Amino acid sequence: MAQKEMESLWWKEGVIYQIYPRSFKDSNGDGVGDIAGIIEKLNYLQDLGIAGIWLSPINASPMFDFGYDVSDYRAIDPVFGTMKDFERLIKEAHRRKIRVIMDLVMNHTSHLHPWFIESRSSRNNPMRDWYIWRGDKKGEYPNNWMAYFGGRAWEWDEKTGQYYLHSFLKEQPDVNWRNPDLKKAMFAEIRFWLEKGIDGFRLDVVNFFIKDNLFRSNPFGIGKYPRPYDLQKHIYDRDRPELTELLQAWRALLDEYDARMMVGEVVAEKPHPALAAQYLGDGTDALHLAFDFSFMNNKWDSSLFKKRIEAYHGSIPKEGWPCTVFSNHDQVRSFTRYGRGDDAEKRAFVLAMLLVTMRGTPFLYYGEEIGMKNVRIPKSRIQDPVGKRYWPFNPGRDGERTPMQWSNEEYAGFSKSEPWLPLADDYREKNVECQLNANGSLLNFYRDLIALRKEREALRMGDLMFNDITPGVLSYMRSARKEESCVFLNFENSEKKYSFNASGIWRVLVSTHRKSGEQFHSFEKLFPYEATVLESIRKS
Ligand code: GLC
């Protein structure tokens, strides 16, 4: 394959690592992670074998939602460093063949963005229509739309006597993507970063971008949570068919440059794999990847995982490509979500193998590779606006955003001073330094798996076929040209009788229970929580 073509596949083949910059590494001792800190850890990431980093927002922001409220798309927030630091990060990452993906938060801006300040300054300001203004009587809401983070989605503006729309916090007014000038201005911001050499974007809440042009009220539906937002069917305030056209234009912009990509965050209350896949268009003309969060809501049950994987993969267009994600900065960490008592550690190994050997691009959230757990945050230390609003009913998202556990030094080697969020109490035993030195650690398991994925085409790009073997075990083949791999994941803490008798000789590649390199024709059982990947050694 030509070098250029191979490079353009980086986002399909490699593992992408999500960094929450506030919590990754603090280089200047203010208790908050920064860009220089990320640069310090690039060698670690290179050794882990990852192909790209996705940074949660680092743009200038008043931080009402920790960067998901941007006040200047072209500036780096001083808490993270300077533009020079960021340019150095891009250079240093590229030197190590690590791509850089930025979070683009473009459904809304901060209420302190100059565009919104203009827009709200008077009804006839030229930027008025860059945001969504409706109604003119206080108390009469334009429709029944609710904000995702609670309350109505409409905020009254005293000065100009109208409501503006905010799908999230009132400090996050939604922009009007139907306005051609707004669209032009946004695309100019994207181009700015493409020119700087950014390799890709994660599109925040992509399915919210376009709203119904008639502003119809949502019909009621029965939701899962006792939250007014979930009692509506969101057919008018998001997931509009008109979004397709916008994404096509966006894709065309990226396609002007080599090997760039975008992955969309598709929000849905209930698992909805077809919805995520729909934003891939025909597989070549919209998003490159779309997160399906169905897996996140799964119970630890092999048959449910299988069902969800089949549903999601089954709805991906022929030329499209899936991705796999088990954790992020908005969800309880997988270790805590799927874990149960002493079994949590073992399940983390099974999940690691599933993530890295599944067909599709794996997204790995920082700290998952050492099995970081969710931290219970005392009320006085809560930072997340969702936690502040809903505590104790919902503690918010700080628990999955705690500082990376680098070593057993004070503050876990994350910072020289008290971090912005409390550290997990297990950091002295669970950290990068000690896992690097321990045979059989989760971190080394991830490193082995990622190295294996790099070596083997079947795991990177091959087809996937499930084997129906025995309840509680997820098993599949991955095959490409001459290679064939077989994965066994025992989701349960019990031995499984199973006669493996496939033709030919098989060799262990990576396993929790078997020695790598070991060869056999058959075996009779799987160990409790065994995770094994084999390769077939074809007779020549
Ligand atoms: C996305 C982000 C989340 C943020 C929200 C509003 O869901 O992942 O962290 O709060 O969008 O921008």
Side-chain angles (χ1 to χ4, degrees):
M1 207 184 287
Q3 180 69 15
K4 202 164 164 192
E5 201 179 326
M6 263 172 69
E7 283 187 1
S8 68
L9 294 178
W10 66 271
W11 55 270
K12 284 188 175 178
E13 302 200 342
V15 176
I16 297 176
Y17 186 94
Q18 182 191 353
I19 292 179
Y20 194 72
R22 296 183 78 84
S23 296
F24 195 58
K25 175 73 176 105
D26 171 20
S27 73
N28 62 0
D30 63 358
V32 179
D34 45 45
I35 294 168
I38 299 173
I39 298 173
E40 278 176 36
K41 295 298 180 185
L42 283 174
N43 287 342
Y44 164 75
L45 296 171
Q46 186 180 25
D47 293 346
L48 182 56
I50 60 119
I53 47 178
W54 147 32
L55 309 182
S56 277
I58 47 158
N59 294 127
S61 164
M63 304 287 171
F64 282 82
D65 190 17
F66 294 103
Y68 285 93
D69 49 325
V70 175
S71 54
D72 183 349
Y73 289 104
R74 297 194 190 200
I76 303 296
D77 196 277
V79 91
F80 300 121
T82 61
M83 186 62 89
K84 276 220 149 47
D85 294 333
F86 190 57
E87 284 164 354
R88 194 159 64 88
L89 171 65
I90 300 175
K91 211 168 111 206
E92 290 295 321
H94 285 175
R95 208 157 63 77
R96 294 168 175 83
K97 298 219 170 350
I98 295 176
R99 313 284 176 143
V100 182
I101 298 175
M102 275 181 100
D103 219 312
L104 276 187
V105 188
M106 293 191 157
N107 169 69
H108 42 265
T109 67
S110 157
H111 67 312
L112 300 180
H113 193 294
W115 298 344
F116 188 66
I117 294 174
E118 281 288 314
S119 182
R120 80 188 305 179
S121 66
S122 81
R123 281 203 190 197
N124 47 25
N125 184 280
M127 287 188 183
R128 183 66 169 182
D129 188 48
W130 286 32
Y131 291 81
I132 299 172
W133 295 94
R134 309 291 293 173
D136 45 22
K137 234 192 221 140
K138 194 172 181 177
E140 270 179 33
Y141 292 106
N143 59 25
N144 71 354
W145 295 357
M146 307 298 295
Y148 195 80
F149 290 159
R152 294 275 185 166
W154 297 101
E155 181 71 13
W156 181 253
D157 180 59
E158 228 25 276
K159 186 168 169 218
T160 57
Q162 276 197 304
Y163 284 100
Y164 67 84
L165 182 72
H166 60 92
S167 298
F168 294 87
L169 299 175
K170 68 178 184 344
E171 292 83 6
Q172 295 167 303
D174 285 41
V175 300
N176 179 13
W177 274 101
R178 291 177 185 271
N179 179 299
D181 295 332
L182 175 279
K183 181 177 159 201
K184 212 167 138 201
M186 281 297 198
F187 274 33
E189 307 297 60
I190 302 168
R191 197 180 283 283
F192 172 83
W193 290 109
L194 288 167
E195 295 288 336
K196 272 226 181 295
I198 285 293
D199 301 287
F201 301 107
R202 176 255 189 196
L203 272 46
D204 188 60
V205 295
V206 66
N207 55 328
F208 282 65
F209 283 11
I210 306 259
K211 282 84 184 170
D212 179 40
N213 56 349
L214 301 176
F215 291 90
R216 282 168 280 190
S217 279
N218 286 320
F220 287 95
I222 303 297
K224 193 171 152 206
Y225 307 104
R227 183 173 68 147
Y229 186 88
D230 299 310
L231 299 177
Q232 295 183 1
K233 284 193 188 143
H234 295 279
I235 58 172
Y236 293 125
D237 55 350
R238 59 180 218 221
D239 295 316
R240 300 301 305 159
E242 301 93 311
L243 180 55
T244 312
E245 208 185 307
L246 174 61
L247 291 181
Q248 283 167 350
W250 207 307
R251 175 66 175 251
L253 172 62
L254 262 65
D255 284 349
E256 287 179 34
Y257 298 79
D258 272 349
R260 313 297 169 98
M261 61 79 83
M262 53 182 176
V263 51
E265 181 203 25
V266 181
V267 174
E269 285 66 47
K270 288 195 206 132
H272 201 334
L275 180 74
Q278 149 190 339
Y279 296 113
L280 300 174
D282 70 4
T284 63
D285 66 348
L287 295 175
H288 296 74
L289 300 172
F291 289 130
D292 169 33
F293 295 134
S294 311
F295 304 117
M296 303 242 195
N297 304 320
N298 253 15
K299 286 210 201 85
W300 184 253
D301 173 333
S302 61
S303 61
L304 273 179
F305 274 85
K306 178 168 178 249
K307 205 169 116 191
R308 298 270 157 83
I309 293 166
E310 282 177 333
Y312 171 51
H313 288 208
S315 50
I316 301 275
K318 198 159 171 283
E319 295 192 60
W321 188 247
C323 57
T324 317
V325 57
F326 295 130
S327 277
N328 66 27
H329 64 293
D330 294 326
Q331 309 279 340
V332 170
R333 280 188 180 273
S334 66
F335 190 88
T336 303
R337 193 164 10 96
Y338 298 130
R340 198 191 52 191
D342 291 344
D343 290 5
E345 293 282 344
K346 293 173 190 150
R347 291 182 179 183
F349 282 80
V350 174
L351 196 74
M353 188 173 283
L354 175 59
L355 180 72
V356 182
T357 63
M358 183 37 57
R359 180 165 190 268
T361 310
F363 280 79
L364 178 63
Y365 184 49
Y366 83 95
E368 296 282 295
E369 72 274 31
I370 54 168
M372 273 172 66
K373 63 178 184 189
N374 240 70
V375 177
R376 199 185 288 269
I377 310 288
K379 188 173 180 222
S380 61
R381 300 270 322 254
I382 287 183
Q383 303 280 341
D384 179 22
V386 175
K388 284 188 176 155
R389 183 166 188 151
Y390 289 111
W391 194 91
F393 169 68
N394 173 351
R397 301 163 294 177
D398 296 322
E400 54 264 27
R401 300 174 177 178
T402 60
M404 180 68 174
Q405 296 160 208
W406 292 107
S407 70
N408 61 10
E409 282 165 50
E410 199 178 14
Y411 307 125
F414 162 74
S415 175
K416 293 266 173 275
S417 61
E418 179 69 36
W420 74 292
L421 280 175
L423 283 155
D425 55 11
D426 62 358
Y427 80 84
R428 292 195 189 269
E429 309 87 57
K430 189 179 268 186
N431 57 62
V432 169
E433 194 177 274
C434 72
Q435 289 202 17
L436 278 178
N437 297 324
N439 277 336
S441 68
L442 184 61
L443 178 55
N444 284 326
F445 193 63
Y446 265 104
R447 283 165 51 127
D448 291 350
L449 284 168
I450 296 173
L452 184 68
R453 188 182 161 98
K454 276 193 181 171
E455 264 168 34
R456 298 191 58 89
E457 192 188 350
L459 295 179
R460 292 194 314 273
M461 303 296 287
D463 293 339
L464 167 80
M465 213 181 72
F466 282 105
N467 305 317
D468 242 339
I469 57 170
T470 181
V473 175
L474 191 68
S475 172
Y476 44 88
M477 313 296 299
R478 298 291 319 275
S479 32
R481 289 185 282 190
K482 287 195 185 132
E483 285 180 19
E484 188 159 40
S485 293
C486 183
V487 178
F488 293 97
L489 302 168
N490 183 357
F491 271 59
E492 294 176 6
N493 192 12
S494 54
E495 210 173 88
K496 304 282 175 191
K497 275 207 182 343
Y498 165 65
S499 299
F500 175 77
N501 240 329
S503 59
I505 303 174
W506 291 74
R507 175 168 51 203
V508 177
L509 294 170
V510 172
S511 171
T512 47
H513 289 74
R514 300 172 200 265
K515 256 180 79 193
S516 48
E518 194 188 322
Q519 297 188 6
F520 45 79
H521 291 284
S522 63
F523 60 82
E524 296 301 323
K525 66 172 187 190
L526 291 167
F527 297 93
Y529 287 125
E530 172 171 353
T532 294
V533 51
L534 309 173
E535 74 166 335
S536 137
I537 310 172
R538 298 243 166 113
K539 287 176 225 142
S540 51

